[in-house]
Amino acid sequence: MPSEPIPTADSAEPSPAAGSIFRIGLGWDRHRLEPGADRPLILGGVRLEHDRGPVGVSDGDALLHAITDALLGAAGLPDIGELFPTTDPANEGRDSTDFLVEADQRMRDLGFEAQNIDAVVILERPRIGPHKRQMRAVIAETLGLPIDAVNVKGKTGEGVDAVGEGRAVEARAAALIHRRALRSGSEAG
Ligand code: MG
């Protein structure tokens, strides 16, 4: 069966005859962590106490960046770097929940709604275990999802490579989004 065109930011409105569709998206991000960085370590909108902070233009929240890219990717939209360029002074020190809100709105503008998010944070220290519930709550509230539709898992780098040596934090996310069937007639569906 031929697949219908995926609506993108450039292709205007979804077809009125379009059926219910699901899309998945993948996001990945990494930020260097440096001692004395002028930004606190924030992941999933939650501030963690740590002697290193992320290097980045925004607040450096790798988890929200990965989730934002997963949603944008699923909807066929431009990625986070295209929408929020590091060269734009407006993004300096910016709260990354702004990016997630914008991605969610752009996705909704195309008729999509997020169904669930699954994410992994790879960080040597501190452990994110005590903060996972709060991260999930922040993400779920931002996206208007129940907390059980947002999962965050923590892993370490097993002491090797930049993440394992504490010099970076990494995050990966998968997102499932859904667009309901759009009815053109009273009994369509
Ligand atoms: Mg980033």
Side-chain angles (χ1 to χ4, degrees), residues 2-188:
S3 61
E4 62 195 44
I6 300 169
T8 70
D10 301 324
S11 65
E13 298 299 309
S15 161
S20 167
I21 58 172
F22 287 93
R23 293 283 186 265
I24 62 169
L26 173 69
W28 177 92
D29 197 29
R30 169 181 277 204
H31 281 261
R32 287 201 316 278
L33 294 175
E34 292 187 352
D38 60 357
R39 295 198 168 91
L41 177 57
I42 297 176
L43 290 168
V46 177
R47 180 172 175 161
L48 308 185
E49 288 305 317
H50 193 33
D51 58 3
R52 298 180 178 209
V55 178
V57 171
S58 67
D59 65 4
D61 190 328
L63 176 55
L64 292 192
H65 295 178
I67 292 170
T68 298
D69 250 353
L71 291 170
L72 292 170
L77 288 163
D79 67 30
I80 191 170
E82 293 172 278
L83 292 182
F84 309 104
T86 55
T87 51
D88 184 347
N91 296 324
E92 180 73 27
R94 194 161 170 195
D95 182 337
S96 292
T97 54
D98 287 356
F99 303 149
L100 188 59
V101 167
E102 174 81 15
D104 186 51
Q105 187 57 55
R106 285 174 177 255
M107 182 186 68
R108 289 176 186 275
D109 289 346
L110 295 173
F112 287 106
E113 290 186 350
Q115 300 300 296
N116 79 295
I117 303 289
D118 192 20
V120 186
V121 173
I122 307 109
L123 178 67
E124 202 65 11
R125 61 186 175 86
R127 295 290 197 261
I128 69 161
H131 309 285
K132 285 194 294 190
R133 177 95 189 168
Q134 193 183 352
M135 293 174 182
R136 293 172 65 195
V138 168
I139 298 158
E141 184 177 351
T142 304
L143 296 174
L145 290 171
I147 195 165
D148 68 306
V150 177
N151 210 351
V152 176
K153 305 182 294 295
K155 302 289 284 185
T156 73
E158 291 286 326
V160 295
D161 75 25
V163 173
E165 292 166 4
R167 295 185 287 113
V169 56
E170 195 171 294
R172 302 172 191 214
L176 183 70
I177 66 173
H178 177 243
R179 191 185 70 198
R180 295 177 195 278
L182 302 175
R183 300 184 176 194
S184 55
S186 58
E187 297 301 320

